[in-house]
Structures are given as structure tokens and as C-alpha cells.
């Protein structure tokens, strides 16, 4: 039986990853998932800061780092040194894409500015990710995910109405910028195929959050009213939130009047569907508090499983609120093949959440584990034309650590293979 063809729509694309933390590395990991050859350039002392963002750790690195760096090769270079910069330029000479999140105005931003790079490498696509964008009074401000969530409004919309602002459980500032960055890079590659020219692509955590406001923004533009927090509620649909049952909470999502009538029938309160306060979604949004009080008075009498089984049988969208252990034990997760295993040189089998898009019914595979710091330095530099003596000088005393003989029974830092 023949093996299925590898899913690699970006095969042949070379990416130089000069970014760190989450937004940039998530972009480059996604490009690597899609088949691109990604070289992650890290500082010799500590590498990407997320390697130490723990606990939890798994092997030498924090799980935060392990989440966003698979399918890449790691090389350690000091980008502020002439030798490190020369090595990066050798990479860029044959690269298609470079991703960086240098702080605007910094030495590295000036050293690797697109205007100069485009003159030397006219086919190069450069993605720059910043906190607040390339223009405006905040352009030079640094920013982490929480700064973006706070400054761009997400925290003002998250949390209970009578509680404090709350950040989203995911790093939506970083991940929003990453997703738009992926769109920007792939679009620029399509344009380059047509024109032969590279492109300067920029996005920011701040801009991406504004783009994700969607209905919150258009609602504000129409009314001029500042929206407030609704907990798990929806600004435009009721009932559409989490409700308490006898043993926990679960979600009901009613998107039209027909579904509301089904809900009322299932709960034994057909009269609610004919109540002028609740008959249409417009009415239900206006009388949100009154309707939710009625629902809660009924739903609290039975456990989550009871309501989920009953309402699902009536075609009402409903689900328990699963914890992550339940999510990863869920048959649906298994059926989709969203969790894959890959061998890590220090910890052995490592589980990773795979790329969430399939091509011709096939999902891109997790090919290699997130690299240990400098794991591929020797190999990458040799590919760039450096001989062993030059590599030794470039890496200094780290050469022996990266490619010297491993202790019997332990993996080599360079190859990740255990000695026979």
C-alpha cells in the first residue's frame, strides 16, 4: 500500500525567522506546517525568551516555546555582530520570506530594514509584526499580548457585567496578528508569482484586534453607545450564553425565533414563545434579564447531561463546557486527527496540536519537534558555505555543545539522534 502524498503546499519556500515570543513564531510555524523550510535564528544566550516562560517545562524548554516552534531548524547567531549579520544575509540571498518583530527604531530594525533588503533581494517578502503599527503616536511603544488586549478594547468586552475587566483565555493579541500575518505573507507570495517582486508586509497586535471587533465595532458606529461586558452573553442574540444547571454550566445557542420556540417546547414553557417580550430576537435582546431569569429558574433543577440530551434531541444547539482534558479525550478531536506525536531529542514522544486546515482531505503533518537551542546551527551554516573552521569561529565555544559527541545513551544536541 502506497503512503499518502505529503501535504506541503509551500514546499520549496524558504523562510528566515528572526522573530520571537508568539506572534512571529506562530506565523513561521504555520508556514513550516505547510511545507516551508524555516530556519529560526536565535540569540546564543537563552534563545527565544519563551524557552524560559515556565513552568510548565517539558525537557529543557518551557511548553510555551514548544507550542509555536515545531517543523523549524534552530541556528544561534548574534544579530548585532557583523559575523552574525553576514550569516543572515547569506540566508536571505536564497530566502523567500523573512519574519521579524524588531522594535521600531531599534538597532536591528535599522540593520534589517526592508528598503535596503529589497534592493539586495528584490524577490524577498518581509513580514514585520509590531505592537501598534508602523504609524501613529504609539508606533514606538513595546507591547505584549495583554497590552494589546487592554489597549485595543478586548478586555473592556470580556468578563461579567459587575466584575473587573478580564483578558481572553487565549493570547488573542498575538494570535490575531499571527493569523493576519500568515494571510499577508501568502498573499504577497501569490503577488510575487505574478509580478516577480517581493513585498513589505506589516501588521500589528493593535490593528488585528480592531479587525476582530467585527459586530462590536459596527454596533458602536451605529449607536455611539459604549458596549459593556456581558459575561458569556451575546450582544445581538438571546438566549446565547452559558447557563447554570444543577451540577455545572452549559451553553445554549439560539440563533433564530424557530429555535427559540423549540427550546420553549422542550422546557415545557410554550407560553414563553408567545410572550410579546420574547417572541422575536429583537424583543429577547431588549428583555434579556427577564428571559434569562426564567431560563435559570428552570435549568438549575437538572444536571448538564440531562439538558444537553433533551435539547439536542429537539435540534437546539447546546453543549457542555469542556475542560482541556475533556477536549483532548473527546472522540471528535481524535476523529479529526488534530493531535499528533513527534519525537523530541530530549523528551521522546511529544504531542502537538496540528494545523487546522486540510488539503484534499489530508492534514499537514507534524514532521519535526520544536528544535533545541542551536540544534541545527552546524548544518545550517554548512549549507550556507561555511567550512568547519569558520563555523567554529562563528559559534565560538558552543560548537562542541552543538555537534560534539553525545554522552552514551543521550541524544546529540545537533542531530537529535541517540548514539547506536
Amino acid at each position: 500500500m502506497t503512503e499518502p502524498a505529503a501535504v506541503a503546499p509551500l514546499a520549496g519556500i524558504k523562510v528566515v525567522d528572526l522573530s520571537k515570543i508568539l506572534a512571529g513564531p506562530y506565523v513561521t510555524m504555520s508556514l513550516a506546517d505547510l511545507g516551508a523550510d524555516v530556519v529560526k535564528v536565535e540569540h546564543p544566550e537563552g534563545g527565544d525568551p519563551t524557552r524560559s516562560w515556565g513552568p510548565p517545562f517539558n525537557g529543557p524548554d518551557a511548553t510555551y516555546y514548544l507550542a509555536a516552534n515545531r517543523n523549524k531548524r534552530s541556528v544561534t547567531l548574534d544579530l548585532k555582530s557583523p559575523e552574525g549579520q553576514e550569516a543572515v544575509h547569506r540566508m536571505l540571498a536564497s530566502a523567500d520570506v523573512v519574519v521579524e518583530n524588531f522594535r521600531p527604531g531599534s538597532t536591528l530594525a535599522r540593520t534589517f530594514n526592508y528598503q535596503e533588503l529589497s534592493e539586495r533581494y528584490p524577490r524577498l517578502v518581509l513580514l514585520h509584526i509590531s505592537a501598534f503599527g508602523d504609524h501613529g503616536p504609539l508606533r514606538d511603544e513595546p507591547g505584549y499580548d495583554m497590552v494589546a488586549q487592554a489597549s485595543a478594547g478586548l478586555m473592556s468586552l470580556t468578563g461579567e457585567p459587575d466584575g473587573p475587566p478580564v483578558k481572553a483565555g487565549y493570547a488573542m493579541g498575538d494570535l490575531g496578528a499571527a493569523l493576519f500575518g500568515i494571510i499577508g505573507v501568502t498573499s504577497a507570495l501569490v503577488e510575487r508569482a505574478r509580478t516577480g517582486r517581493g513585498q513589505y508586509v506589516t501588521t500589528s497586535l493593535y490593528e488585528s484586534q480592531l479587525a476582530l471587533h467585527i459586530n462590536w465595532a459596527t454596533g458602536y458606529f451605529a449607536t455611539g453607545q459604549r458596549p459593556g461586558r456581558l459575561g458569556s452573553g451575546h450582544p445581538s442574540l438571546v438566549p446565547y450564553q452559558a447557563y447554570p444547571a444543577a451540577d455545572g454550566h452549559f451553553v445554549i445557542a439560539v440563533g433564530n425565533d424557530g429555535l427559540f420556540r423549540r427550546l420553549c417546547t422542550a422546557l415545557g414553557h410554550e407560553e414563553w414563545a408567545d410572550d410579546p417580550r420574547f417572541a422575536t430576537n429583537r424583543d429577547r435582546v431588549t428583555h434579556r434579564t427577564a428571559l434569562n431569569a426564567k431560563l435559570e429558574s428552570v435549568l438549575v433543577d437538572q444536571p448538564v447531561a440531562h439538558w444537553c440530551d433533551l435539547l439536542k434531541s429537539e435540534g437546539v444547539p447546546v453543549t457542555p463546557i469542556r475542560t482541556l482534558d475533556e477536549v483532548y479525550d473527546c472522540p471528535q478531536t481524535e476523529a479529526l486527527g488534530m493531535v499528533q506525536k513527534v519525537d523530541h531529542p530530549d523528551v521522546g514522544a511529544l504531542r502537538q496540536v496540528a494545523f487546522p486546515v486540510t488539503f484534499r482531505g489530508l492534514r499537514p503533518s507534524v514532521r519535526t519537534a520544536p528544535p533545541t537551542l542551536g540544534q541545527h546551527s552546524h548544518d545550517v551554516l554548512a549549507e550556507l558555505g561555511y567550512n568547519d573552521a569558520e563555523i567554529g569561529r562563528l559559534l565560538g565555544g558552543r560548537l562542541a555543545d552543538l555537534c560534539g559527541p553525545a554522552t552514551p545513551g543521550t541524544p546529540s544536541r545537533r542531530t537529535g539522534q541517540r548514539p547506536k
Side-chain angles (χ1 to χ4, degrees):
M1 183 176 179
T2 59
E3 292 291 327
V7 180
L10 293 184
I13 297 295
K14 294 184 177 182
V15 179
V16 178
D17 183 3
L18 303 181
S19 68
K20 56 188 178 183
I21 311 298
L22 181 56
Y26 196 89
V27 171
T28 55
M29 180 181 73
S30 298
L31 299 176
D33 285 349
L34 294 171
D37 176 13
V38 177
V39 174
K40 181 179 180 69
V41 179
E42 302 184 73
H43 194 277
E45 298 177 6
D48 190 315
T50 60
R51 288 184 182 273
S52 62
W53 279 18
F57 288 86
N58 195 1
D61 296 314
T63 57
Y64 202 111
Y65 163 81
L66 297 176
N69 289 285
R70 65 166 174 260
N71 289 339
K72 304 178 187 179
R73 297 189 290 167
S74 170
V75 59
T76 51
L77 295 169
D78 182 357
L79 295 184
K80 294 185 178 180
S81 71
E83 296 81 8
Q85 292 171 13
E86 167 60 24
V88 169
H89 277 289
R90 290 199 191 188
M91 295 182 201
L92 296 179
S94 61
D96 299 284
V97 177
V98 60
V99 178
E100 51 90 355
N101 56 356
F102 301 137
R103 181 172 172 175
S106 67
T107 300
L108 290 178
R110 293 192 298 271
T111 299
F112 294 101
N113 73 85
Y114 180 72
Q115 184 174 351
E116 294 183 10
L117 292 180
S118 65
E119 293 175 358
R120 295 180 64 173
Y121 318 111
R123 290 178 53 82
L124 185 67
V125 172
L126 185 148
L127 171 64
H128 169 66
I129 300 177
S130 64
F132 290 100
D134 274 11
H135 307 285
L138 298 179
R139 69 177 298 272
D140 293 332
E141 293 288 324
Y144 286 101
D145 173 79
M146 179 174 277
V147 173
Q149 291 198 33
S151 63
L154 180 56
M155 287 183 67
S156 76
L157 304 173
T158 308
E160 295 298 326
D162 56 352
V166 176
K167 78 174 184 70
Y170 301 152
M172 286 307 301
D174 278 322
L175 294 175
L179 294 175
F180 284 108
I182 295 165
I183 294 169
V185 167
T186 52
S187 298
L189 289 173
V190 171
E191 183 186 63
R192 190 188 71 173
R194 185 174 65 252
T195 67
R197 295 287 301 180
Q199 179 64 266
Y200 179 53
V201 180
T202 69
T203 190
S204 68
L205 279 63
Y206 188 80
E207 292 167 84
S208 298
Q209 288 305 291
L210 268 60
L212 295 174
H213 287 171
I214 308 296
N215 54 298
W216 288 106
T218 53
Y220 170 72
F221 296 153
T223 66
Q225 296 178 359
R226 176 191 296 174
R229 297 184 293 279
L230 293 172
S232 63
H234 193 289
S236 305
L237 294 171
V238 176
Y240 197 100
Q241 66 178 68
Y243 290 95
D247 61 347
H249 286 73
F250 70 107
V251 164
I252 297 173
V254 169
N256 57 57
D257 297 338
L259 285 174
F260 180 64
R261 185 168 291 276
R262 291 187 191 181
L263 172 66
C264 296
T265 300
L267 297 180
H269 287 277
E270 293 89 342
E271 75 277 8
W272 292 352
D274 297 318
D275 189 319
R277 296 175 299 167
F278 312 138
T280 69
N281 183 70
R282 179 191 291 260
D283 299 321
R284 294 192 294 275
V285 171
T286 300
H287 299 283
R288 177 193 303 269
T289 301
L291 177 56
N292 280 338
K294 288 182 176 294
L295 287 167
E296 289 175 8
S297 69
V298 172
L299 298 172
V300 75
D301 290 336
Q302 295 290 340
V304 168
H306 169 83
W307 294 123
C308 286
D309 290 342
L310 174 64
L311 298 182
K312 189 175 293 185
S313 71
E314 297 297 325
V316 178
V318 60
T319 182
I321 299 172
R322 297 191 181 103
T323 56
L324 288 193
D325 57 315
E326 294 170 322
V327 169
Y328 291 118
D329 283 338
C330 177
Q332 181 65 21
T333 304
E334 181 179 0
L336 291 171
M338 277 298 294
V339 178
Q340 299 181 12
K341 289 183 180 180
V342 66
D343 186 54
H344 185 282
D346 289 310
V347 302
L350 182 71
R351 290 199 296 174
Q352 294 269 290
V353 177
F355 195 74
V357 179
T358 61
F359 299 82
R360 299 181 299 279
L362 300 176
R363 189 177 305 285
S365 64
V366 179
R367 303 184 307 278
T368 60
T372 55
L373 181 59
Q375 180 179 345
H376 306 94
S377 289
H378 184 277
D379 294 344
V380 170
L381 294 173
E383 290 171 8
L384 296 175
Y386 290 98
N387 60 38
D388 283 348
E390 293 170 327
I391 293 173
R393 288 193 294 271
L394 193 57
L395 298 180
R398 293 174 289 120
L399 180 59
D401 294 332
L402 294 170
C403 57
T407 301
T410 62
S412 162
R413 296 284 285 182
R414 179 167 70 88
T415 65
Q417 300 296 314
R418 298 181 183 276
K420 301 293 185 181

